Amino acid sequence: MSADAVYRDATGVIVANNDLLGHDAHVNAQVIHDGAMADEAEHKTTLLQAFKTHKKAIFWSMALSAALIMEGYDVVVIGSFYGQPNFLRRFGVLAPGTENGYVIPAAWQSGLSNGSSAGGILGLFVNGWAAERFGAKKVMLASLVALTGFIFIMVFANSLTMLVVGEVLCGIPWGVFQTLTTAYASEVCPIHLRGYLTAYVNLCWGVGILLSSGVVTATLNIQSDWSWRLPFVVQWVWIIPLCTIVYFCPTSPWWLVRKGRLEEAEAALRRLTNSDLVSEQDTRNTVAMMVHTTELEKQATAGASYIDCFRKTDLRRSEIVMMVFAMQLLSGENLIGQGVQFLQQAGISSGTSFDLNMVLNSMFIIGTIASWGLLTRFGRRSLYTAGMACMAIVLFVIGGLGFKTQTPEISRAIGGLLIGLNFVYNCTLGPICYTLIGEVSSTRLRQKSIVLSRIAYQIMNIICGIIVPRMLSPTSWNWGAKSGIFWGVSATLSTIYCIVRLPETRGRSYGELDMLFEGKVPAWRFESTKADQFGHMLKEKTSQEGHDVKDFKSDIVHDE
């Protein structure tokens, strides 16, 4: 059935056709009224008020995101072993003239790196189906139990083949963690806190990566296979605390609304808010807003399958979230994942390279904290685009230094620039990516949209896992720091994409974002256009100079 779910009024404002919603989706006037009250209250709430009201939601979001500490640790730890002497002697091949005398062949590096990515893709597909059907809590608990068994393979591996198998199997639950935590954070927090809590996901990744660097460095001098086995053993430490957190955390009220369990959604909201500051009517209003937004999206999407992610306006939304995640690697960040090997190829000694790698990985935490300050002043589009442009410049400089004779001064400069590159990344691209994918995707398709975005990342990660080891390996292409030129070009093209296609989502409710996408508003107009999901007559923002309201080409948006 054709439906004009959204239209433009005489001034060009995007407005929801609530008459149609009431007829097709049984959204009555009371739901629209209560939802409008909640939407207005959420927009008027200050950051401090939001913090006081939603302290419980902040706690549970941060607690559940701790699963990313484990995932960040697990995924990166294997890359640190490519410069670890005992691991190289156990699994490497002779390479006279190199820092350690042994190397892991580039093909095996690709297999180990891509193993977790391949498993991650499987886990993402499973999660996209299972999380919406069974709920995030059950899927998360099942994943943690499975991971407990898979870690045994990594700890007691006696060949590179066993390590690859272990990486593939462990990648399946890691793929679940990657999307569940972001979706949960984006659903339990209000507009003013949403950006900070989704950006916090990146900090958790950084904590895990920094821990892996510290553990690998601490075990560096153990003269046995336990120097590389112990870092794998540490992965078991996370299981019991995470299972406890997942068991007691409230279910997402958005998921409960999508399942029609409105009373349970209200109960979940009460667990996520301060009862002294939120009345029963406020809770009912918030659930009404969720009901309205969910029913509104049903007019734009016929169902909630993966195919629906590529239909109508959701095609554009899927493209954006997939590119936002893929561009994390197109930015040249993948060089940092191979930090130890990259620094050693730049002429830095084995011991110093591990120390610098810890400094390098500390930027995940320092940068994410800095991003919270930037988020209070700048929009998502501005930060992501500016960060990509800065990374392109730094990469070109690193690549240029690769053509110089490798003196100690040049090596230190490259190491310093690599640390700076990671700081820029974690102030902008790293944390803002999670904020954008949580906001750009529609609420009904959020799990699946985030799954697709992460799959795009994993596919790009597989490509990088094939070419980056060859770029850095002395037995293959041996580009070393010159690799910066290649990734500088990639980051430049990504910057152009951001300017043309990346919308501004700051300060928007999910209903407003639905209106803007359904109204086919260009990316550069998202910030200046107002959308009314409750049918009020609003006017488009005008500039301080008093310019007239802009003209739009079409008056009504039709479903095709």
Side-chain angles (χ1 to χ4, degrees), residues 364-530:
F364 282 92
I365 299 173
I366 297 170
T368 302
I369 294 172
S371 76
W372 292 340
L374 294 173
L375 278 167
T376 62
R377 298 181 58 85
F378 303 102
R380 285 78 154 123
R381 167 184 163 91
S382 301
L383 287 173
Y384 199 95
T385 306
M388 188 69 76
C390 288
M391 291 191 73
I393 294 170
V394 175
L395 284 163
F396 279 124
V397 175
I398 290 175
L401 290 174
F403 289 92
K404 298 284 187 180
T405 302
Q406 295 303 296
T407 63
E409 291 76 15
I410 293 292
S411 298
R412 285 194 292 270
I414 291 173
L417 285 169
L418 197 65
I419 292 170
L421 186 76
N422 205 20
F423 178 73
V424 171
Y425 172 86
N426 286 289
C427 282
T428 54
L429 274 67
I432 307 304
C433 165
Y434 294 99
T435 300
L436 280 168
I437 64 172
E439 294 178 339
V440 170
S441 54
S442 65
T443 60
R444 294 179 67 248
L445 294 170
R446 178 166 293 125
Q447 288 285 356
K448 292 178 174 60
S449 294
I450 296 177
V451 164
L452 289 172
S453 70
R454 192 66 186 183
I455 286 173
Y457 174 90
Q458 295 289 27
I459 290 172
M460 188 56 60
N461 198 33
I462 289 172
I463 295 171
C464 292
I466 293 171
I467 63 175
V468 172
R470 287 166 173 78
M471 286 178 174
L472 302 181
S473 176
T475 61
S476 192
W477 302 349
N478 196 28
W479 288 5
K482 297 173 187 176
S483 306
I485 298 293
F486 178 92
W487 296 111
V489 172
S490 174
T492 300
L493 295 174
S494 298
T495 303
I496 296 171
Y497 175 88
C498 292
I499 293 171
V500 176
R501 298 291 290 170
L502 191 62
E504 180 55 70
T505 58
R506 182 188 186 191
R508 297 289 192 181
S509 69
Y510 290 126
E512 288 174 328
L513 290 169
D514 290 338
M515 298 294 94
L516 294 170
F517 279 109
E518 187 69 13
K520 300 179 181 178
V521 177
W524 54 89
R525 280 191 180 178
F526 260 60
E527 189 172 10
S528 65
T529 303
K530 273 196 173 181

Side-chain angles (χ1 to χ4, degrees), residues 137-193:
K137 292 178 64 171
K138 292 181 180 178
V139 176
M140 192 81 164
L141 286 170
S143 299
L144 286 167
V145 171
L147 184 60
T148 303
F150 296 153
I151 292 172
F152 275 97
I153 300 173
M154 307 295 292
V155 174
F156 298 105
N158 55 21
S159 68
L160 288 172
T161 302
M162 280 189 69
L163 283 172
V164 170
V165 171
E167 287 287 313
V168 172
L169 292 175
C170 287
I172 296 173
W174 293 341
V176 172
F177 301 158
Q178 292 163 7
T179 53
L180 277 182
T181 50
T182 304
Y184 189 84
S186 64
E187 290 191 344
V188 301
C189 298
I191 291 171
H192 297 293
L193 298 175

Side-chain angles (χ1 to χ4, degrees), residues 520-557:
K520 300 179 181 178
V521 177
W524 54 89
R525 280 191 180 178
F526 260 60
E527 189 172 10
S528 65
T529 303
K530 273 196 173 181
D532 179 19
Q533 60 177 314
F534 297 102
H536 301 148
M537 294 300 293
L538 298 176
K539 295 181 180 179
E540 183 183 4
K541 292 179 182 178
T542 56
S543 65
Q544 293 181 352
E545 291 80 8
H547 288 212
D548 292 335
V549 174
K550 299 175 184 176
D551 244 355
F552 290 87
K553 292 183 179 179
S554 62
D555 293 82
I556 299 176
V557 177

